[in-house]
Amino acid sequence: MKKLLILTILLFSIHSQSQTYVKLNAFSTLLTVPNVGIETSIGKKSTFQFDITASFWNSKVTPMQFYIFMPEYRYHFHEKYNGFYVGANVGATVFNFQKWNHLNLDEYEKGVGYLVGASIGYQKKINDKFMIDCFLGGGNSQGFYKGYYIGTNTRYEFAKNYNKSGEWLPYRGGVMVSYRLN
């Protein structure tokens, strides 16, 4: 029910405000980790962005699969889509990879998590249809996972349900090339 309400609000805002951009992160896509999004106007100086970042790398040596779903509220200091902004985000992640601070190369983690943080960015209109969005963000990441040995897929740790891990990390950033839909 909550998902239907959020989707209805999002679709209503897209239609009523008539400024919507689809976006592609140029840097992460070059690294074969696509990050796509949509940003729409929800007020005089406010926008809502939803983006998805995905890594599809499934190596037998080191799995590096993850998916991040990130809704973000943005407040623009001057006009929307042109100038500095700050954002607040709460997202979800699903992962099957080796933790960034894990030194044992024979182990990987598989689980879910959530992210809570903030972003800062700058948008510059190129013309009526295109815009560049440079941004950086981070915050607190909480993960719930099970640890496995690479190759045998047997558990290396024996947490009863899920192991838990939390870090403060930069988890967003790049340059989005944006195209205005309407």
Side-chain angles (χ1 to χ4, degrees), residues 4 13 15 27 34-35 37 39 50 52 57 69 72 81 91 117 119 135 153 171:
L4 180 60
S13 349
H15 180 68
F27 288 149
N35 173 215
E39 183 175 7
F50 182 82
I52 299 171
W57 294 35
F69 307 92
E72 181 172 68
Y81 308 118
S119 297
F135 66 100
N153 293 325
Y171 54 73

PDB file of all heavy atoms in Angstrom, residues 4 13 15 27 34-35 37 39 50 52 57 69 72 81 91 117 119 135 153 171:
ATOM      1  N   LEU A   4       2.270   1.936  -3.432  1.00  0.00           N
ATOM      2  CA  LEU A   4       1.272   2.504  -4.339  1.00  0.00           C
ATOM      3  C   LEU A   4       1.071   3.989  -4.064  1.00  0.00           C
ATOM      4  O   LEU A   4       0.985   4.796  -4.995  1.00  0.00           O
ATOM      5  CB  LEU A   4      -0.048   1.749  -4.199  1.00  0.00           C
ATOM      6  CG  LEU A   4      -1.193   2.218  -5.094  1.00  0.00           C
ATOM      7  CD1 LEU A   4      -0.815   2.080  -6.570  1.00  0.00           C
ATOM      8  CD2 LEU A   4      -2.445   1.443  -4.789  1.00  0.00           C
ATOM      9  N   SER A  13       3.229  14.333  -9.203  1.00  0.00           N
ATOM     10  CA  SER A  13       4.193  15.440  -9.245  1.00  0.00           C
ATOM     11  C   SER A  13       4.806  15.585 -10.612  1.00  0.00           C
ATOM     12  O   SER A  13       5.033  16.690 -11.067  1.00  0.00           O
ATOM     13  CB  SER A  13       5.321  15.292  -8.264  1.00  0.00           C
ATOM     14  OG  SER A  13       5.227  14.365  -7.362  1.00  0.00           O
ATOM     15  N   HIS A  15       3.458  14.889 -13.468  1.00  0.00           N
ATOM     16  CA  HIS A  15       2.474  15.479 -14.371  1.00  0.00           C
ATOM     17  C   HIS A  15       2.187  16.938 -14.031  1.00  0.00           C
ATOM     18  O   HIS A  15       2.107  17.786 -14.915  1.00  0.00           O
ATOM     19  CB  HIS A  15       1.177  14.658 -14.325  1.00  0.00           C
ATOM     20  CG  HIS A  15       0.108  15.195 -15.212  1.00  0.00           C
ATOM     21  ND1 HIS A  15       0.201  15.158 -16.582  1.00  0.00           N
ATOM     22  CD2 HIS A  15      -1.058  15.810 -14.931  1.00  0.00           C
ATOM     23  CE1 HIS A  15      -0.872  15.714 -17.101  1.00  0.00           C
ATOM     24  NE2 HIS A  15      -1.654  16.123 -16.119  1.00  0.00           N
ATOM     25  N   PHE A  27      30.395   8.905 -15.207  1.00  0.00           N
ATOM     26  CA  PHE A  27      31.582   8.269 -14.620  1.00  0.00           C
ATOM     27  C   PHE A  27      31.327   6.826 -14.221  1.00  0.00           C
ATOM     28  O   PHE A  27      32.120   5.937 -14.536  1.00  0.00           O
ATOM     29  CB  PHE A  27      32.100   9.057 -13.423  1.00  0.00           C
ATOM     30  CG  PHE A  27      32.767  10.352 -13.791  1.00  0.00           C
ATOM     31  CD1 PHE A  27      32.723  11.428 -12.929  1.00  0.00           C
ATOM     32  CD2 PHE A  27      33.443  10.497 -14.986  1.00  0.00           C
ATOM     33  CE1 PHE A  27      33.338  12.636 -13.260  1.00  0.00           C
ATOM     34  CE2 PHE A  27      34.061  11.679 -15.329  1.00  0.00           C
ATOM     35  CZ  PHE A  27      34.009  12.751 -14.463  1.00  0.00           C
ATOM     36  N   PRO A  34      26.400   1.053 -14.019  1.00  0.00           N
ATOM     37  CA  PRO A  34      25.441   2.082 -14.422  1.00  0.00           C
ATOM     38  C   PRO A  34      24.653   2.650 -13.247  1.00  0.00           C
ATOM     39  O   PRO A  34      24.313   1.942 -12.311  1.00  0.00           O
ATOM     40  CB  PRO A  34      24.524   1.356 -15.400  1.00  0.00           C
ATOM     41  CG  PRO A  34      24.756  -0.088 -15.181  1.00  0.00           C
ATOM     42  CD  PRO A  34      26.096  -0.252 -14.572  1.00  0.00           C
ATOM     43  N   ASN A  35      24.407   3.948 -13.338  1.00  0.00           N
ATOM     44  CA  ASN A  35      23.597   4.678 -12.366  1.00  0.00           C
ATOM     45  C   ASN A  35      22.633   5.528 -13.179  1.00  0.00           C
ATOM     46  O   ASN A  35      23.048   6.449 -13.875  1.00  0.00           O
ATOM     47  CB  ASN A  35      24.503   5.527 -11.479  1.00  0.00           C
ATOM     48  CG  ASN A  35      23.761   6.457 -10.538  1.00  0.00           C
ATOM     49  OD1 ASN A  35      24.219   7.554 -10.272  1.00  0.00           O
ATOM     50  ND2 ASN A  35      22.639   6.043  -9.999  1.00  0.00           N
ATOM     51  N   GLY A  37      18.684   7.574 -13.279  1.00  0.00           N
ATOM     52  CA  GLY A  37      17.735   8.187 -12.372  1.00  0.00           C
ATOM     53  C   GLY A  37      16.719   9.039 -13.085  1.00  0.00           C
ATOM     54  O   GLY A  37      16.779   9.252 -14.300  1.00  0.00           O
ATOM     55  N   GLU A  39      14.569  12.796 -12.094  1.00  0.00           N
ATOM     56  CA  GLU A  39      14.395  13.901 -11.154  1.00  0.00           C
ATOM     57  C   GLU A  39      13.229  14.745 -11.623  1.00  0.00           C
ATOM     58  O   GLU A  39      13.134  15.091 -12.799  1.00  0.00           O
ATOM     59  CB  GLU A  39      15.655  14.765 -11.069  1.00  0.00           C
ATOM     60  CG  GLU A  39      15.538  15.878 -10.047  1.00  0.00           C
ATOM     61  CD  GLU A  39      16.820  16.671  -9.858  1.00  0.00           C
ATOM     62  OE1 GLU A  39      17.787  16.460 -10.614  1.00  0.00           O
ATOM     63  OE2 GLU A  39      16.852  17.519  -8.949  1.00  0.00           O
ATOM     64  N   PHE A  50      14.924   9.862  -7.922  1.00  0.00           N
ATOM     65  CA  PHE A  50      15.026   8.446  -7.611  1.00  0.00           C
ATOM     66  C   PHE A  50      16.032   7.856  -8.577  1.00  0.00           C
ATOM     67  O   PHE A  50      15.912   8.038  -9.789  1.00  0.00           O
ATOM     68  CB  PHE A  50      13.682   7.731  -7.754  1.00  0.00           C
ATOM     69  CG  PHE A  50      13.785   6.276  -7.394  1.00  0.00           C
ATOM     70  CD1 PHE A  50      13.743   5.878  -6.070  1.00  0.00           C
ATOM     71  CD2 PHE A  50      13.946   5.316  -8.380  1.00  0.00           C
ATOM     72  CE1 PHE A  50      13.859   4.538  -5.731  1.00  0.00           C
ATOM     73  CE2 PHE A  50      14.064   3.977  -8.051  1.00  0.00           C
ATOM     74  CZ  PHE A  50      14.014   3.579  -6.725  1.00  0.00           C
ATOM     75  N   ILE A  52      18.885   4.405  -9.413  1.00  0.00           N
ATOM     76  CA  ILE A  52      19.307   3.027  -9.176  1.00  0.00           C
ATOM     77  C   ILE A  52      20.738   2.887  -9.676  1.00  0.00           C
ATOM     78  O   ILE A  52      21.057   3.309 -10.787  1.00  0.00           O
ATOM     79  CB  ILE A  52      18.397   2.031  -9.912  1.00  0.00           C
ATOM     80  CG1 ILE A  52      16.961   2.158  -9.420  1.00  0.00           C
ATOM     81  CG2 ILE A  52      18.907   0.604  -9.742  1.00  0.00           C
ATOM     82  CD1 ILE A  52      15.959   1.366 -10.226  1.00  0.00           C
ATOM     83  N   TRP A  57      28.772  -7.488 -11.904  1.00  0.00           N
ATOM     84  CA  TRP A  57      29.969  -8.332 -11.975  1.00  0.00           C
ATOM     85  C   TRP A  57      29.777  -9.575 -11.117  1.00  0.00           C
ATOM     86  O   TRP A  57      29.632  -9.489  -9.905  1.00  0.00           O
ATOM     87  CB  TRP A  57      31.182  -7.571 -11.487  1.00  0.00           C
ATOM     88  CG  TRP A  57      31.570  -6.418 -12.334  1.00  0.00           C
ATOM     89  CD1 TRP A  57      30.747  -5.577 -13.017  1.00  0.00           C
ATOM     90  CD2 TRP A  57      32.884  -5.957 -12.578  1.00  0.00           C
ATOM     91  NE1 TRP A  57      31.470  -4.623 -13.663  1.00  0.00           N
ATOM     92  CE2 TRP A  57      32.796  -4.836 -13.410  1.00  0.00           C
ATOM     93  CE3 TRP A  57      34.134  -6.382 -12.163  1.00  0.00           C
ATOM     94  CZ2 TRP A  57      33.898  -4.142 -13.847  1.00  0.00           C
ATOM     95  CZ3 TRP A  57      35.237  -5.681 -12.594  1.00  0.00           C
ATOM     96  CH2 TRP A  57      35.112  -4.576 -13.431  1.00  0.00           C
ATOM     97  N   PHE A  69      19.055   1.376  -4.395  1.00  0.00           N
ATOM     98  CA  PHE A  69      17.823   2.086  -4.752  1.00  0.00           C
ATOM     99  C   PHE A  69      17.758   3.320  -3.859  1.00  0.00           C
ATOM    100  O   PHE A  69      17.685   3.191  -2.632  1.00  0.00           O
ATOM    101  CB  PHE A  69      16.614   1.186  -4.529  1.00  0.00           C
ATOM    102  CG  PHE A  69      16.740  -0.143  -5.223  1.00  0.00           C
ATOM    103  CD1 PHE A  69      17.280  -1.239  -4.561  1.00  0.00           C
ATOM    104  CD2 PHE A  69      16.344  -0.286  -6.539  1.00  0.00           C
ATOM    105  CE1 PHE A  69      17.416  -2.459  -5.189  1.00  0.00           C
ATOM    106  CE2 PHE A  69      16.477  -1.506  -7.182  1.00  0.00           C
ATOM    107  CZ  PHE A  69      17.012  -2.599  -6.510  1.00  0.00           C
ATOM    108  N   GLU A  72      15.706  10.609  -3.151  1.00  0.00           N
ATOM    109  CA  GLU A  72      16.355  11.769  -2.525  1.00  0.00           C
ATOM    110  C   GLU A  72      15.507  13.018  -2.712  1.00  0.00           C
ATOM    111  O   GLU A  72      15.073  13.330  -3.814  1.00  0.00           O
ATOM    112  CB  GLU A  72      17.738  11.985  -3.137  1.00  0.00           C
ATOM    113  CG  GLU A  72      18.478  13.159  -2.530  1.00  0.00           C
ATOM    114  CD  GLU A  72      19.907  13.252  -3.002  1.00  0.00           C
ATOM    115  OE1 GLU A  72      20.129  13.540  -4.193  1.00  0.00           O
ATOM    116  OE2 GLU A  72      20.806  13.024  -2.177  1.00  0.00           O
ATOM    117  N   TYR A  81      17.197  23.151 -10.929  1.00  0.00           N
ATOM    118  CA  TYR A  81      17.944  22.665 -12.084  1.00  0.00           C
ATOM    119  C   TYR A  81      19.023  23.632 -12.575  1.00  0.00           C
ATOM    120  O   TYR A  81      19.456  23.542 -13.708  1.00  0.00           O
ATOM    121  CB  TYR A  81      17.013  22.302 -13.250  1.00  0.00           C
ATOM    122  CG  TYR A  81      15.898  21.370 -12.876  1.00  0.00           C
ATOM    123  CD1 TYR A  81      14.574  21.758 -12.986  1.00  0.00           C
ATOM    124  CD2 TYR A  81      16.174  20.094 -12.405  1.00  0.00           C
ATOM    125  CE1 TYR A  81      13.550  20.895 -12.653  1.00  0.00           C
ATOM    126  CE2 TYR A  81      15.151  19.225 -12.065  1.00  0.00           C
ATOM    127  CZ  TYR A  81      13.843  19.630 -12.193  1.00  0.00           C
ATOM    128  OH  TYR A  81      12.829  18.774 -11.859  1.00  0.00           O
ATOM    129  N   GLY A  91      18.020   5.086   1.425  1.00  0.00           N
ATOM    130  CA  GLY A  91      17.972   4.097   0.362  1.00  0.00           C
ATOM    131  C   GLY A  91      18.118   2.677   0.866  1.00  0.00           C
ATOM    132  O   GLY A  91      18.353   2.431   2.052  1.00  0.00           O
ATOM    133  N   GLY A 117      21.620   9.401   4.437  1.00  0.00           N
ATOM    134  CA  GLY A 117      22.667  10.403   4.304  1.00  0.00           C
ATOM    135  C   GLY A 117      22.227  11.669   3.600  1.00  0.00           C
ATOM    136  O   GLY A 117      21.036  11.968   3.505  1.00  0.00           O
ATOM    137  N   SER A 119      23.504  14.729   0.355  1.00  0.00           N
ATOM    138  CA  SER A 119      24.282  15.022  -0.853  1.00  0.00           C
ATOM    139  C   SER A 119      24.420  16.522  -1.010  1.00  0.00           C
ATOM    140  O   SER A 119      23.602  17.294  -0.511  1.00  0.00           O
ATOM    141  CB  SER A 119      23.586  14.483  -2.111  1.00  0.00           C
ATOM    142  OG  SER A 119      23.486  13.097  -2.080  1.00  0.00           O
ATOM    143  N   PHE A 135      27.635  15.843  -8.343  1.00  0.00           N
ATOM    144  CA  PHE A 135      27.197  15.650  -6.961  1.00  0.00           C
ATOM    145  C   PHE A 135      28.117  14.711  -6.202  1.00  0.00           C
ATOM    146  O   PHE A 135      28.858  13.910  -6.782  1.00  0.00           O
ATOM    147  CB  PHE A 135      25.768  15.109  -6.921  1.00  0.00           C
ATOM    148  CG  PHE A 135      25.637  13.731  -7.485  1.00  0.00           C
ATOM    149  CD1 PHE A 135      25.568  12.628  -6.663  1.00  0.00           C
ATOM    150  CD2 PHE A 135      25.583  13.532  -8.860  1.00  0.00           C
ATOM    151  CE1 PHE A 135      25.455  11.356  -7.185  1.00  0.00           C
ATOM    152  CE2 PHE A 135      25.470  12.270  -9.390  1.00  0.00           C
ATOM    153  CZ  PHE A 135      25.409  11.171  -8.547  1.00  0.00           C
ATOM    154  N   ASN A 153      31.081 -21.825  -1.210  1.00  0.00           N
ATOM    155  CA  ASN A 153      29.829 -21.189  -0.783  1.00  0.00           C
ATOM    156  C   ASN A 153      29.328 -21.707   0.570  1.00  0.00           C
ATOM    157  O   ASN A 153      28.135 -21.731   0.819  1.00  0.00           O
ATOM    158  CB  ASN A 153      28.746 -21.331  -1.851  1.00  0.00           C
ATOM    159  CG  ASN A 153      29.080 -20.550  -3.086  1.00  0.00           C
ATOM    160  OD1 ASN A 153      29.665 -19.473  -3.014  1.00  0.00           O
ATOM    161  ND2 ASN A 153      28.728 -21.088  -4.241  1.00  0.00           N
ATOM    162  N   TYR A 171      28.903   7.255  -0.528  1.00  0.00           N
ATOM    163  CA  TYR A 171      28.289   6.222  -1.358  1.00  0.00           C
ATOM    164  C   TYR A 171      27.599   6.771  -2.603  1.00  0.00           C
ATOM    165  O   TYR A 171      26.953   6.034  -3.333  1.00  0.00           O
ATOM    166  CB  TYR A 171      27.323   5.338  -0.561  1.00  0.00           C
ATOM    167  CG  TYR A 171      26.230   6.072   0.191  1.00  0.00           C
ATOM    168  CD1 TYR A 171      25.151   6.651  -0.458  1.00  0.00           C
ATOM    169  CD2 TYR A 171      26.284   6.159   1.569  1.00  0.00           C
ATOM    170  CE1 TYR A 171      24.160   7.298   0.232  1.00  0.00           C
ATOM    171  CE2 TYR A 171      25.292   6.803   2.280  1.00  0.00           C
ATOM    172  CZ  TYR A 171      24.223   7.361   1.600  1.00  0.00           C
ATOM    173  OH  TYR A 171      23.243   8.015   2.303  1.00  0.00           O
TER     174      TYR A 171
END
